[in-house]
């Protein structure tokens, strides 16, 4: 089956009402439909991707682009995620065991089988290795970009915005002007947003991550036209690598040249030489 067929026929729990429905249902009137398959809802990537979507929500509406998202977790995870990110609960589905991700052949991440560990414990070890860049290309570079800034990325925090809910003292967005100016992503700006996300997840860990064994699973992005034809796809290969252009993750929607799906890396191929098990 095609990606479109899978999304149209495979039912998952919708966060808004608990109904079991396919992600793509009924007659669609939008010109394009953006389907986001996220990792754990408590994952850095899921929270950050949702932030970008909500940042451009009005533009998405104006461009007649419907948005649907599926994340790993249960309904309580989805409700907490929607509350924090403001992502609409009626556009969010949950998959407690990442079955949809496997159906779509998305990258499972590092899955070394550590014999003395339970699956959730092994996932923690594998996740830490991925955070160090093992089987997770681009992760360390992206972490560094959060601290050093990026002049090709837009400004992320408004000067009058108040930054709260982090271990740091409450501050105004204008603070970042002292770190390099305005009109682009300043040093420490993205790192601060990520710190806020991390604080939120760690404060409600068991809600966001009800089953830790799927923590290494990565996601994907799929864009369809009204006829169900795939216009664009991107398959995540590492932590903090949820978009082809991390400086502006939704830029493919506004780029007139991004009308066909790029060749995707074979998700079944490992990105390093580590074995799948250690005995």
């Amino acid at each position: 089956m095609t990606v479109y067929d899978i999304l149209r026929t495979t039912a998952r729990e919708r966060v808004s009402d608990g109904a079991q429905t396919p992600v793509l249902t009924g007659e669609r009137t939008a010109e394009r439909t953006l389907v986001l398959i996220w990792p754990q809802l408590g994952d850095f990537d899921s929270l950050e991707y949702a932030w970008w979507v909500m940042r451009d929500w009005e533009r998405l509406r104006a461009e007649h682009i419907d948005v649907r998202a599926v994340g790993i977790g249960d309904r309580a995870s989805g409700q907490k995620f929607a509350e924090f990110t403001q992502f609409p609960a009626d556009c969010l589905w949950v998959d407690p065991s990442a079955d949809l991700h496997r159906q779509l052949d998305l990258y499972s991440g590092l899955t070394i089988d550590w014999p003395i560990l339970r699956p959730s414990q092994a996932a923690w070890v594998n996740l830490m290795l991925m955070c160090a860049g093992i089987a997770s290309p681009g992760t360390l570079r992206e972490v560094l970009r959060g601290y050093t800034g990026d002049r090709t990325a837009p400004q992320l925090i408004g000067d009058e915005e108040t930054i709260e809910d982090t271990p740091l003292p409450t501050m105004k967005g204008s603070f970042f002007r002292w770190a390099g100016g305005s009109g682009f992503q300043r040093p420490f700006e993205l790192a601060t947003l990520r710190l806020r996300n991390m604080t939120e997840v760690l404060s409600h860990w068991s809600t966001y991550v009800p089953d830790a064994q799927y923590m290494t699973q990565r996601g994907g992005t799929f864009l369809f036209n009204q006829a169900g034809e795939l216009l664009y796809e991107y398959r995540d290969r590492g932590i903090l690598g949820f978009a082809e252009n991390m400086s502006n993750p939704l830029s493919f929607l506004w780029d007139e040249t991004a009308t066909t799906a790029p060749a995707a890396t074979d998700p079944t191929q490992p990105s390093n030489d580590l074995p799948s098990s250690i005995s």
Side-chain angles (χ1 to χ4, degrees):
M1 289 197 296
T2 65
V3 171
Y4 179 79
D5 290 334
I6 292 171
L7 295 172
R8 193 168 55 87
T9 59
T10 305
R12 290 294 179 269
E13 186 176 19
R14 187 166 53 205
V15 171
S16 59
D17 56 6
Q20 291 282 339
T21 70
V23 178
L24 298 178
T25 59
E27 183 178 348
R28 300 194 317 282
T29 58
E31 293 179 7
R32 292 181 287 173
T33 300
L34 176 63
V35 179
L36 309 172
I37 309 298
W38 285 330
Q40 287 273 4
L41 289 175
D43 191 285
F44 272 137
D45 293 37
S46 304
L47 291 157
E48 193 169 318
Y49 208 157
W51 183 90
W52 280 99
V53 171
M54 298 315 299
R55 180 180 184 271
D56 280 346
W57 189 257
E58 292 305 318
R59 185 175 182 183
L60 290 164
R61 299 290 91 186
E63 296 275 351
H64 305 290
I65 300 173
D66 275 351
V67 181
R68 303 286 182 268
V70 184
I72 302 172
D74 55 23
R75 191 180 177 202
S77 309
Q79 290 170 330
K80 191 65 178 173
F81 182 91
E83 176 188 349
F84 177 69
T85 64
Q86 299 301 300
F87 189 86
D90 60 346
C91 298
L92 179 62
W93 282 255
V94 287
D95 186 331
S97 54
D99 287 336
L100 181 60
H101 299 65
R102 288 189 290 275
Q103 283 183 270
L104 295 172
D105 288 327
L106 296 174
Y107 180 45
S108 61
L110 188 60
T111 55
I112 294 176
D113 180 16
W114 303 90
I116 63 172
L117 301 180
R118 296 193 300 271
S120 60
Q121 294 172 326
W124 267 110
V125 175
N126 290 329
L127 182 70
M128 292 301 101
L129 291 172
M130 290 182 70
C131 288
I134 298 173
S136 186
T139 295
L140 296 180
R141 179 177 64 251
E142 182 58 26
V143 169
L144 183 63
R145 190 178 71 89
Y147 291 97
T148 60
D150 182 354
R151 287 187 173 271
T152 69
Q155 180 173 324
L156 305 180
I157 301 174
D159 288 348
E160 298 305 314
E161 185 176 346
T162 300
I163 304 162
E164 301 176 301
D165 302 322
T166 75
L168 302 174
T170 299
M171 67 181 77
K172 284 281 192 181
S174 56
F175 166 81
F176 292 99
R177 286 188 300 182
W178 297 99
S182 61
F184 61 93
Q185 181 195 308
R186 286 76 58 86
F188 298 100
E189 191 175 14
L190 179 55
T192 300
L193 291 179
R194 289 172 175 169
L195 178 61
R196 183 166 63 186
N197 290 342
M198 183 178 70
T199 302
E200 163 68 14
V201 171
L202 292 179
S203 299
H204 308 281
W205 177 257
S206 61
T207 302
Y208 277 107
V209 186
D211 191 339
Q213 66 179 303
Y214 305 109
M215 288 193 299
T216 63
Q217 176 67 57
R218 299 296 91 199
T221 297
F222 303 94
L223 180 67
F224 302 95
N225 65 13
Q226 204 167 24
E229 297 170 323
L230 183 63
L231 301 177
Y232 176 89
E233 71 172 336
Y234 177 78
R235 294 169 180 267
D236 181 359
R237 294 293 300 172
I239 294 171
L240 293 179
F242 58 81
E244 187 175 11
N245 176 10
M246 287 296 291
S247 297
N248 197 342
L250 296 180
S251 60
F252 67 92
L253 291 171
W254 329 123
D255 183 358
E256 294 296 330
T257 64
T259 56
T260 57
T265 304
D266 184 352
T268 65
Q269 296 301 313
S271 58
N272 62 23
D273 296 327
L274 283 176
S276 60
S277 64
I278 293 179
S279 56

